């Protein structure tokens, strides 16, 4: 039952954000009573925290796999970008903001994950790219890794990119390509242009 | 007297941030009594608000002039960058954060300025660069202008770039060159490489 509740909660949060989804909505979605939910979770905050924990673990596993499969650091970024793009396609633009505003514990988990995993992941990619001669040797890895992780969050901030005016996916695509181009060497551009053309072709074929 | 108080306040805020500077400090700096200050300003908040208003006006005038003097959009960015770099060289890293936390009215002025002037200024530069063939034709001006203005603020955010670990100027230089490279066409790179080499030479001669 616990698994079913978490699954339903993820689906609803993903579609509508966290704030507008009530315990009633989750119960209704599953055709069960609210009492049954409260047997498993003290309150909505407990559900949100567990949902976020699992999502972050799951996302980390996916991204580690993508990195292992990529043949060079630029392909790592392109694959991760496609993965993020696919996730964003179905996510409510208010999700991260709801967490930040109404569920500080879950938000703290996300922030911890950001500092322990995402920044490390980006830094690793930057170092590999520099060693391979694909990224400029004069970039400051710490500065750009932190900047990039802020960009990912920024795409979800309604004060910066109001969802009525900006599609998250368009913001993400603009930022990731801009980020990558900003760090490339001439040799990096050759590799990047190859992937960029391929990725446009794939998108057109869909 | 009002002018002298504002001048002393700017100097102190610039060096030490806003929070740690008291009315006593300002009075001491000028060798006057606190009473004299209170004849001109109701409280520190009133001084802060007027200081910020004037600084923003002054900065806007400087940047408009830099833009008018530049011979192409890339030079505009390089000159603005040098201007920002010169300002950052003397500014306390906690200044913006102090405003945000302790002086919401002054912070609101800064946010308004950001949306009405800075984003407009960056958008104008992006459009001119695209028309001149120096910037890519596939950039989304609205997205990148908002991203860039967030970057400027980010350099001052101690939660992102703790001043014990990062020098604001290094962060600024990394971000501005990364930003510019991320939007350049091949033709843009030719112009940029010229300026970048010159600017390194000038820096070395200092």
């Amino acid at each position: 039952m616990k698994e079913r509740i978490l699954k339903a909660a993820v689906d609803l949060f993903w579609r509508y954000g966290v704030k507008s989804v009530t315990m009633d909505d989750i119960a209704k979605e599953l055709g069960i009573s609210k009492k049954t939910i409260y047997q498993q979770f003290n309150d909505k905050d407990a559900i949100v925290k567990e949902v976020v924990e699992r999502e972050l673990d799951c996302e980390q596993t996916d991204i580690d796999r993508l990195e292992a499969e990529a043949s060079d650091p630029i392909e790592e970024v392109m694959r991760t970008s496609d993965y993020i793009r696919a996730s964003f396609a179905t996510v409510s633009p208010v999700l991260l903001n709801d967490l930040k505003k109404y569920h500080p514990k879950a938000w703290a988990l996300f922030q911890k994950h950001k500092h322990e995993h995402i920044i490390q992941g980006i830094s690793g990619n930057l170092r590999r790219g520099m060693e391979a001669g694909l990224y400029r040797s004069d970039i400051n890895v710490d500065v750009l890794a932190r900047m990039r992780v802020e960009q990912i969050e920024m795409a979800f901030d309604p004060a910066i990119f109001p969802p009525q005016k900006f599609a998250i996916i368009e913001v993400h695509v603009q930022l990731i390509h801009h980020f990558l181009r900003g760090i490339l060497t001439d040799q990096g551009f050759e590799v990047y242009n190859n992937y960029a053309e391929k990725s446009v072709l794939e998108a057109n074929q869909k």
Side-chain angles (χ1 to χ4, degrees), chain A:
Chain A
M1 180 49 72
K2 198 175 170 189
E3 291 305 317
R4 282 184 61 208
I5 294 167
L6 287 170
K7 171 96 186 48
V10 170
D11 288 348
L12 291 169
F13 294 161
W14 217 246
R15 266 186 283 160
Y16 305 110
V18 176
K19 183 167 190 285
S20 69
V21 174
T22 62
M23 292 297 243
D24 272 323
D25 293 328
I26 301 172
K28 215 168 140 190
E29 178 81 6
L30 290 167
I32 60 176
S33 71
K34 268 207 288 187
K35 205 182 136 201
T36 312
I37 298 183
Y38 282 114
Q39 280 164 358
Q40 306 286 338
F41 296 98
N42 280 336
D43 50 23
K44 192 172 120 185
D45 206 43
I47 300 184
V48 173
K49 191 163 167 282
E50 189 143 348
V51 161
V52 168
E53 251 166 15
R54 290 183 175 212
E55 281 296 310
L56 292 175
D57 275 351
C58 182
E59 194 188 276
Q60 196 53 46
T61 311
D62 287 345
I63 285 182
D64 288 346
R65 191 175 42 76
L66 289 174
E67 275 186 14
E69 285 171 6
S71 52
D72 62 63
I74 294 176
E75 195 188 344
E76 284 175 27
V77 178
M78 303 294 263
R79 280 184 183 238
T80 311
S81 166
D82 286 345
Y83 173 79
I84 297 177
R85 181 155 53 171
S87 315
F88 284 8
T90 51
V91 74
S92 161
V94 299
L95 182 66
L96 271 201
N97 204 53
D98 279 2
L99 283 185
K100 189 176 182 173
K101 268 179 103 165
Y102 306 106
H103 299 275
K105 275 184 212 153
W107 181 251
L109 282 177
F110 178 71
Q111 291 299 314
K112 190 164 170 274
H113 179 79
K114 185 170 98 176
H115 285 282
E116 291 178 2
H117 297 284
I118 310 183
I119 293 182
Q120 288 311 314
I122 298 168
S123 303
N125 177 273
L126 291 175
R127 281 193 212 97
R128 286 190 291 281
M130 288 164 80
E131 279 162 27
L134 300 170
Y135 301 163
R136 290 186 279 130
S137 58
D138 60 348
I139 59 175
N140 181 321
V141 169
D142 283 347
V143 170
L144 290 187
R146 278 164 194 252
M147 189 272 280
R148 175 65 197 134
V149 81
E150 291 306 314
Q151 283 188 339
I152 299 173
E153 225 173 287
M154 201 187 281
F156 280 98
D157 189 333
I160 302 173
F161 295 110
Q164 314 87 287
K165 206 184 152 195
F166 295 93
I168 282 189
I169 295 189
E170 163 71 1
V171 173
H172 163 70
V173 169
Q174 284 283 323
L175 298 188
I176 188 82
H177 282 275
H178 174 269
F179 179 74
L180 199 47
R181 296 181 71 106
I183 57 179
L184 295 176
T185 57
D186 289 346
Q187 190 193 336
F189 265 107
E190 279 177 34
V191 177
Y192 165 81
N193 287 334
N194 252 330
Y195 287 123
E197 277 162 27
K198 260 206 302 194
S199 153
V200 169
L201 278 177
E202 280 164 19
N204 287 342
Q205 281 164 359
K206 269 166 200 167

